[in-house]
Amino acid sequence: MTIAPFAAGTAAADLNTQRLVAMKASLGTLSAQIGSGRTADTYGGLGGGRTQSLAAHAQISALDSYIAAAGTGSTRVALASASVQQIATLGSSTWDSLVSARTGTGTAARSTLQQNAAGQLGGALDALNQSTGGQYIMGGRVTDRAPVESAARILDGDPAAGLDGVRTVIAERQSADLGIGTPKTGRLDLSGTGASVSLSESPSSDVRTQFGFTIANVVSANPAGLSVALQPGSPSTATLSFASQPKDGDIVRVSVRNPDGSQDVVDLTARAPGRGGDGTFTIGADPAASAQSLIAALAGRTVTGVQSASPPGATATLSGGSPASATLTVGAGLKAGDSVQVTVGLRDGTSKTLTLKAAADTKNAGTFAIGASPADTAANLRTALATALDATARTDLAASSATRAASDFFAGSSSPGLSPRRVATDAAGNATGYLADPSGRTLIWYKGDDTSADPRQTATVPVSRDQSVAIGVQANEEPLRATLSGLAVLATTPFDDTDTDGSRFDAYSGRLQSLFKPGDGQPSVQGIAAELSLASAQIDTQKSQNTATKAVLQTTVDGVESVTTEEAAAKLMTLQTQLQASYQATSMLSKLSLTSYL
């Protein structure tokens, strides 16, 4: 600090000079405020208001980022919602077509269903490949490539690479279920000796557990004329094992049988001790201990098969159990009109009852002729039963097989161990079970991310400091897969408009309708659309709130940093008048002499 020199008699002049300099500085400040509309050019110039200004600017900057993110998120969720709605519309349209053709109001449309379904499958896949800003939005966290393959590759695979499409997978499964012989008996053994007809499930544990019909019940209306000896079967037991110790993250897909006879798959991930949770099993001290841990994770469910990558090479060995069988013996008391009902179970949990009636001849369908002897009658019964099994195998069993095969195809994943299930065959072409490691045989239709337990969480939009909205979608979500499965089955299955094809069409239609319109409480495409709609509403609501908050903060900033031009101009005019008067007074005083004063 410098102390100014003091000269006697100069205090008043010095004070006046300082006042003039301050007034001139204020004049410059007001002129600058009028020109810029701002209180000061630096935060220091705001005085005590600088803290309030800095805090408000920080909040406005954060709100700007949230508002921008909401704009981007709104665009993405709107496109995703439109894609999902498109698939829902395609599924609903196909459902309506099936109902129309099935009820007789549109029977002429049967022959066009296949072609229409192929086009609708392509439309659904195009919707799933939607993108914005160079990023694909239906592949979870994977945004740099299209999440799904084209319709042509999904249907027919990639022959050059040795990868089969859904058409081959369906045909393979139908052959496994129906059998390769003629007539098609659904892998049941049908034989007869003398006056008896025998029907039994396969002696192979794998075949009777996985493929074809099961024998649910056989009832005779006249036991005295046609007796029935029914031997219920017992399920085989699966022994699980690993060829090598699984590593943390290895996935094992287990096939299980439900109480109604249908089958599901359960995916379980190997985890190190202490890292368990839902959908996991604990890695044991050795492969045997890990297999026991896998069994424990299944909580008593009946295992029918298992698959994984190799390593760890999971296998399920089926043993024990016994096949169900029924023996029908023709007696002397058989009369025309007497009937026998054979109920067979299917692998989708449904059943079909075949009714055969004794008659003088076989002019009517579903009858068998009473012959000259019980042996002749038994032979006629065996032929009629073979015909009934063949008809049911080519309709209900084929439809059940096709829908389950398509579901398996679309459940396939690029994750090790999760390729679509494939059938193992012997040298004669007979299906003997499922492959333990089916990798490298089937086209993987979905190429996006499938590691998240919640597809919505694969993409989030931060809309405030404490809130993010989940807007992710994966093309392989269960409801979307169900719609694609139904379209794929229709696209690979021709129908005609004849009455004789009515039963087959009804069998397919009934099962496909449940894929396009699931029952109450089941996941649906409309459910995904509803979740996206809710997310969009949350984004819009928070965006509006952020915009309103920003406006309030901006008002606060303007009050601190901005000036009113009129007020500043008034102050400037006043200051100019004061400064001019001060200059004049100073000038007059500077010219004042003793003579002038006197």
Side-chain angles (χ1 to χ4, degrees), residues 518-544:
D520 294 340
Q522 298 297 315
S524 66
V525 179
Q526 288 79 4
I528 298 176
E531 291 177 0
L532 293 175
S533 179
L534 178 60
S536 179
Q538 290 177 322
I539 292 173
D540 290 343
T541 298
Q542 192 61 46
K543 182 180 179 181
S544 298

Side-chain angles (χ1 to χ4, degrees), residues 401-416:
S401 184
T403 53
R404 292 185 298 112
S407 296
D408 279 350
F409 176 87
F410 286 101
S413 166
S414 58
S415 297

Side-chain angles (χ1 to χ4, degrees), residues 192-501:
T193 302
S196 297
V197 176
S198 297
L199 184 68
S200 65
E201 297 174 351
S202 172
S204 167
S205 295
D206 290 280
V207 172
R208 69 171 180 268
T209 299
Q210 308 287 10
F211 305 125
F213 292 129
T214 61
I215 300 175
N217 198 15
V218 181
V219 177
S220 172
N222 179 13
L226 183 60
S227 63
V228 174
L230 178 64
Q231 180 63 47
S234 59
S236 300
T237 301
T239 302
L240 301 180
S241 61
F242 288 107
S244 60
Q245 181 74 316
K247 304 185 300 296
D248 190 278
D250 284 345
I251 302 175
V252 178
R253 173 163 286 178
V254 184
S255 302
V256 296
R257 183 173 58 248
N258 299 318
D260 64 357
S262 62
Q263 294 186 353
D264 284 331
V265 293
V266 179
D267 295 339
L268 297 172
T269 303
R271 292 300 183 198
R275 296 191 60 213
D278 292 339
T280 67
F281 69 97
T282 303
I283 299 172
D286 53 36
S290 296
Q292 289 301 314
S293 177
L294 176 61
I295 294 172
L298 292 168
R301 303 190 70 176
T302 302
V303 175
T304 61
V306 67
Q307 71 178 58
S308 75
S310 184
T315 57
T317 304
L318 295 173
S319 60
S322 61
S325 63
T327 300
L328 293 80
T329 304
V330 177
L334 184 65
K335 305 183 301 294
D338 290 343
S339 64
V340 61
Q341 292 183 325
V342 179
T343 302
V344 292
L346 287 78
R347 305 296 170 171
D348 58 5
T350 63
S351 61
K352 187 74 173 179
T353 298
L354 316 178
T355 300
L356 300 175
K357 289 186 177 181
D361 52 45
T362 56
K363 293 180 180 180
N364 297 321
T367 62
F368 61 96
I370 299 175
S373 66
D376 292 338
T377 302
N380 295 335
L381 173 61
R382 184 170 67 250
T383 300
L385 182 54
T387 300
L389 288 171
D390 183 85
T392 306
R394 296 179 188 274
T395 54
D396 291 270
L397 183 56
S400 168
S401 184
T403 53
R404 292 185 298 112
S407 296
D408 279 350
F409 176 87
F410 286 101
S413 166
S414 58
S415 297
L418 298 186
S419 293
R421 287 198 298 179
R422 297 302 299 270
V423 174
T425 58
D426 57 20
N430 292 297
T432 58
Y434 289 114
L435 294 171
D437 181 9
S439 59
R441 293 172 175 264
T442 315
L443 181 83
I444 302 300
W445 72 281
Y446 176 70
K447 300 179 292 184
D449 170 50
D450 62 354
T451 60
S452 176
D454 183 1
R456 300 296 160 270
Q457 294 296 330
T458 58
T460 57
V461 178
V463 293
S464 69
R465 184 182 65 180
D466 302 319
Q467 182 183 8
S468 292
V469 179
I471 61 170
V473 185
Q474 291 181 185
N476 69 336
E477 293 185 44
E478 182 181 348
L480 300 175
R481 295 201 318 262
T483 298
L484 295 177
S485 296
L487 291 174
V489 172
L490 273 179
T492 57
T493 308
F495 298 101
D496 60 47
D497 301 327
T498 63
D499 291 340
T500 56
D501 202 32

